[in-house]
Amino acid sequence: MVDDRKLAVLRAIVEDYVSTNEPVGSKALVERHNLGVSPATIRNDMAVLEEQGYIAQPHTSAGRVPTDKGYRLFVDRLSQVKPLSGAERRAIETFLAGAVDIDDVVTRTVRLLAQLTRQVAVVQYPSLTSSTVRHVELVPLSERRLMFVLITNTGRVEQRVVELPDVVDEGRVAHLRAVLNASLDGCGLTGVPDKVADLPERLPAEDRPLAATVLSVLLESLVERQEEKIVFAGAANLAGADFTVGLRDVLEALEEQVVLMRLLGETSDPSTLTVRIGSENPYTGLRGTSIVAAGYGSGDKQLARLGVLGPTRMDYPVTMGAVRAVARYVSQILAAS
């Protein structure tokens, strides 16, 4: 266990190193922080912290830098994450409130997170396995064409133009629309195929070709969207990061959806904020990075996750505060939509 005094020394080292990107010596700690102890005591505390693996000496200078283990202790013992200012909260609310659909929400969120944290922002689309049907719309475009629209509770919208086998009047289209909505309202997307399996048999014979055509498009759209989708922004922020090696590995990882999914992690509690530091990441090419992630959803139901990726030398209180705040705002928007 690390006592409170050594924890204060570690906290000061982390804060100074994040701020300056220079190894921190005992003299600097005395000058910059009111630790209330002598320089000799600070040197002794630093020696103990180094022996326990919380800080390291990168070269022969007197300065020390935090290790992954040191950052972990710092994050675990944070008394609070840095709250956003009133101006920042209003800016987030205004920016996200202007979104028109889930694609717009995700696009705005990933740009906003990258700007707030100066890191790479990663946002997962709401999972199909967590989505339910809110409404099905059939819009006649001509005598033999109509627009099929599927809207989910998470705001995902699927639109397809359907080529019809025969001329169909609007009355029959309206009847099929009513039957589809009665059958599918509130149904989970993964349960849709079972729900519609016998639907054509419940219709008059003359309406079955129309129903079969529309249902084939519906099922096709669900199959195509089963693959979960992740978007990221702010890769240019990595250029200013202190990656001595491994920047190429980080950029390659950002292109791999499966890697990003695993990095964001999973948790059943949408309010949980997770931080994975350096060697805690499952990919060797990302051992110089940290991930701060949180779930977002509607009510107490988590739909997906978002977060940021950056060097282990990141401002954890600020980053954690921004990720948590943005996740909450996105959840509020989805709950109200």
Side-chain angles (χ1 to χ4, degrees), residues 136-171:
V136 175
E137 189 57 66
L138 300 176
V139 183
L141 301 176
S142 67
E143 289 183 332
R144 297 187 62 165
R145 296 176 81 212
L146 59 81
M147 175 74 76
F148 164 80
V149 184
L150 173 69
I151 303 170
T152 73
N153 67 318
T154 56
R156 293 176 83 152
V157 179
E158 290 293 324
Q159 298 184 45
R160 298 292 178 91
V161 174
V162 183
E163 302 290 343
L164 303 176
D166 300 299
V167 174
V168 180
D169 64 68
E170 291 193 18

Side-chain angles (χ1 to χ4, degrees), residues 90-329:
R90 287 190 295 274
I92 292 173
E93 200 168 0
T94 302
F95 187 63
L96 293 181
V100 296
D101 56 27
I102 190 62
D103 291 312
D104 199 11
V105 170
V106 170
T107 300
R108 287 169 180 252
T109 299
V110 78
R111 284 170 49 204
L112 180 66
L113 260 181
Q115 290 169 4
L116 283 173
T117 63
R118 300 299 177 194
Q119 312 286 1
V120 179
V122 184
V123 179
Q124 176 190 9
Y125 267 76
S127 171
L128 276 177
T129 57
S130 305
S131 302
T132 61
V133 177
R134 174 173 285 177
H135 185 70
V136 175
E137 189 57 66
L138 300 176
V139 183
L141 301 176
S142 67
E143 289 183 332
R144 297 187 62 165
R145 296 176 81 212
L146 59 81
M147 175 74 76
F148 164 80
V149 184
L150 173 69
I151 303 170
T152 73
N153 67 318
T154 56
R156 293 176 83 152
V157 179
E158 290 293 324
Q159 298 184 45
R160 298 292 178 91
V161 174
V162 183
E163 302 290 343
L164 303 176
D166 300 299
V167 174
V168 180
D169 64 68
E170 291 193 18
R172 289 164 64 190
V173 171
H175 178 61
L176 178 58
R177 180 195 305 124
V179 171
L180 282 172
N181 280 300
S183 301
L184 298 179
D185 182 37
C187 176
L189 294 195
T190 53
V192 167
D194 291 337
K195 278 279 189 179
V196 301
D198 64 343
L199 190 145
E201 282 69 45
R202 289 185 265 146
L203 297 172
E206 63 270 20
D207 288 344
R208 290 174 188 171
L210 169 63
T213 303
V214 170
L215 291 178
S216 68
V217 171
L218 165 61
L219 297 176
E220 186 180 292
S221 67
L222 293 180
V223 169
E224 288 182 3
R225 290 301 290 265
Q226 281 299 329
E227 182 182 350
E228 301 299 354
K229 184 178 175 185
I230 283 187
V231 295
F232 68 89
N237 290 328
L238 293 174
D242 52 324
F243 288 108
T244 52
V245 293
L247 179 56
R248 182 185 182 90
D249 292 331
V250 175
L251 293 173
E252 287 178 350
L254 289 173
E255 300 292 340
E256 295 292 334
Q257 297 275 310
V258 176
V259 172
L260 293 180
M261 291 280 286
R262 284 195 63 192
L263 288 176
L264 286 179
E266 295 180 1
T267 174
S268 57
D269 184 355
S271 65
T272 300
L273 191 71
T274 57
V275 183
R276 300 169 89 172
I277 298 169
S279 55
E280 298 169 358
N281 290 318
Y283 296 93
T284 55
L286 296 176
R287 295 293 164 86
T289 67
S290 289
I291 313 292
V292 179
Y296 70 89
S298 181
D300 59 355
K301 185 177 183 181
Q302 178 176 302
L303 299 172
R305 291 178 67 73
L306 57 80
V308 300
L309 177 150
T312 53
R313 190 187 69 85
M314 70 165 61
D315 189 331
Y316 290 96
V318 168
T319 303
M320 292 162 69
V323 169
R324 187 173 67 179
V326 170
R328 285 177 176 173
Y329 278 111

